[in-house]
Every structure is written in structure tokens, then in C-alpha cells.
Amino acid sequence: MEEWEKFLRPYKQAVEELKIKLKGMRKDYQLNRQSSPVEFVTARVKPVQSIIEKASTRDIPYDRLREGMYDIAGIRIMCQFVDDIKVITELIRSRADMKVVEERDYIENTKESGYRSYHLIIEYPVQTIEGTVVILAEIQIRTLAMNFWATIEHTLNYKYSGEYPPEIKKRLQNAAEAAYLLDQEMSEIREEIQDAQKYYTKKRNI
């Protein structure tokens, strides 16, 4: 277990640093009195047992985990509107402290289950007492509606191991479509929502 702790240390440091940096983008927008595309940020390091299971399933040797498994460090950025995803993606692409090496668009290319999200795989340098360790991390960017659906689907996946009964599968697909339509409707009244939020914030601060 001590070896695992040592292996995961850069990943744990990375998620803490990335959370601070990505939350900082939201603060920057607020200080400039602009609506932030970032609603909130969460992060996690994949549990050891999950790493072992995935390595076995994907035939990834333990000495190739750093290069072969891109989601040991995972970041999720939630936003209010679909258009915010493009803004956040551009902001991350333009940063000098991380490098985007792969992008996966599950919004335009929705999974069969109904899953929608935008994924970035990044290289991120972590400074340790032994020098710089470059790790891979996955950033998932999604709306609140997409995140609600994905959270429920993830929970059900544990119960059914991905083999959903036909009725559950159909309901999940219907729910995913409903979440998509909700995002579309909210995008249509985006300006009104943001004006209301600014008014509420201003009134609260008086």
C-alpha cells in the first residue's frame, strides 16, 4: 500500500492544484463583474481498486500506468449553459500550465446510453522534491443537467454493471433527451437568467 501511496501522491497534488486554478477562473470573472462560465468544480483520484480493475480490463501493465491510464486524476467542471462549455474549453487550451493532448466530444457524438459531456485529456506537470512529474488527467465539462443525468446513470451502472433492463435503458435515454431539451430551453433565455442573477447578487450585497 505504501507503493500505491507514493505512486498516487502526484495525482493527489494535481487535483488539489487544478481545483484551485479552475475555481480561480470563476473568481476572475466575478471580480470583473462578468457572468462566469464555471459554476463549480469537483475532483477525485481514482481508488486503488478501480485502478487495478481497469488495468486488468484494458491490459495496462503497472509500469505503464502513468502513460496508459488517463483518468487516475479526474476533474469535473459544471456550467449553466451549453455554450459555456466552448468558453471553458478555449480557456483551458490557452493555458501555459497544462497541455491538452486529446479531446472527446460526447455532446455532438452522444453515447448510445444518452451520455453527454466534453472531455479533455491534459498533461499536467507536478513539482515534487524528486523533480517534475508529468501526469495525465481527465477534465470533464458538462452542464448541470448533463451532470444530473450522468450521476444517476453512474449509480445505476453499479447496480446493473452496464447491462440495463430494456425498460431502464429506455427511460435513461428518454431522461437524457429531456436533459438535452432543458439545456436548449435554458440557452434560449440565457440573457434573462444572467440579468436576474446579477440583480440578485447586487441586491444581496447591499
Side-chain angles (χ1 to χ4, degrees):
M1 199 63 194
E2 185 176 338
E3 286 300 311
W4 277 113
E5 184 64 29
K6 184 176 180 181
F7 173 77
L8 290 175
R9 193 177 304 140
Y11 292 96
K12 292 178 179 179
Q13 182 175 327
V15 297
E16 293 304 317
E17 292 179 6
L18 287 165
K19 274 196 300 183
I20 291 170
K21 291 178 178 183
L22 296 171
K23 286 179 180 179
M25 294 196 308
R26 175 177 172 81
K27 192 67 177 176
D28 286 344
Y29 275 95
Q30 291 173 334
L31 289 172
N32 286 298
R33 301 187 183 280
Q34 295 177 293
S35 297
S36 171
V38 178
E39 187 66 12
F40 64 92
V41 179
T42 63
R44 64 97 182 101
V45 174
K46 190 184 285 290
V48 172
Q49 188 57 40
S50 296
I51 295 173
I52 293 171
E53 290 172 1
K54 187 167 186 177
S56 176
T57 303
R58 303 285 179 87
D59 291 324
I60 303 172
Y62 285 172
D63 62 353
R64 296 286 298 169
L65 283 176
R66 287 234 195 273
E67 301 83 12
M69 196 173 293
Y70 57 81
D71 63 345
I72 294 175
I75 310 290
R76 285 180 188 158
I77 304 175
M78 266 58 73
C79 50
Q80 291 187 337
F81 306 102
V82 176
D83 287 345
D84 291 336
I85 294 173
K86 296 178 183 177
V87 175
I88 295 168
T89 300
E90 286 299 326
L91 286 170
I92 292 173
R93 285 181 189 142
S94 67
R95 293 185 69 104
D97 54 351
M98 60 190 78
K99 178 184 177 183
V100 176
V101 295
E102 187 176 343
E103 300 187 28
R104 300 178 181 184
D105 187 350
Y106 297 118
I107 298 173
E108 290 295 326
N109 305 293
T110 309
K111 288 188 176 183
E112 182 185 357
S113 63
Y115 178 83
R116 288 181 171 91
S117 187
Y118 200 93
H119 294 195
L120 301 174
I121 312 301
I122 64 166
E123 287 181 346
Y124 182 76
V126 179
Q127 305 302 319
T128 75
I129 60 172
E130 297 172 345
T132 303
V133 178
V134 178
I135 65 147
L136 294 175
E138 181 182 55
I139 300 176
Q140 299 177 354
I141 312 168
R142 56 179 69 149
T143 65
L144 297 170
M146 292 175 193
N147 189 60
F148 173 72
W149 183 93
T151 301
I152 299 302
E153 193 271 344
H154 185 71
T155 303
L156 287 171
N157 191 50
Y158 274 109
K159 179 177 180 180
Y160 295 107
S161 299
E163 298 296 326
Y164 300 117
E167 182 182 354
I168 298 294
K169 183 177 181 180
K170 182 62 178 174
R171 287 186 179 276
L172 274 174
Q173 291 171 334
N174 290 343
E177 187 61 25
Y180 172 75
L181 292 174
L182 175 61
D183 277 334
Q184 295 298 106
E185 290 297 323
M186 291 300 103
S187 292
E188 291 296 321
I189 56 172
R190 174 177 181 148
E191 288 187 11
E192 286 80 359
I193 293 171
Q194 290 180 334
D195 285 344
Q197 289 171 338
K198 289 176 183 177
Y199 174 77
Y200 173 76
T201 301
K202 184 178 180 180
K203 189 175 180 181
R204 187 181 60 183
N205 291 335
I206 294 176

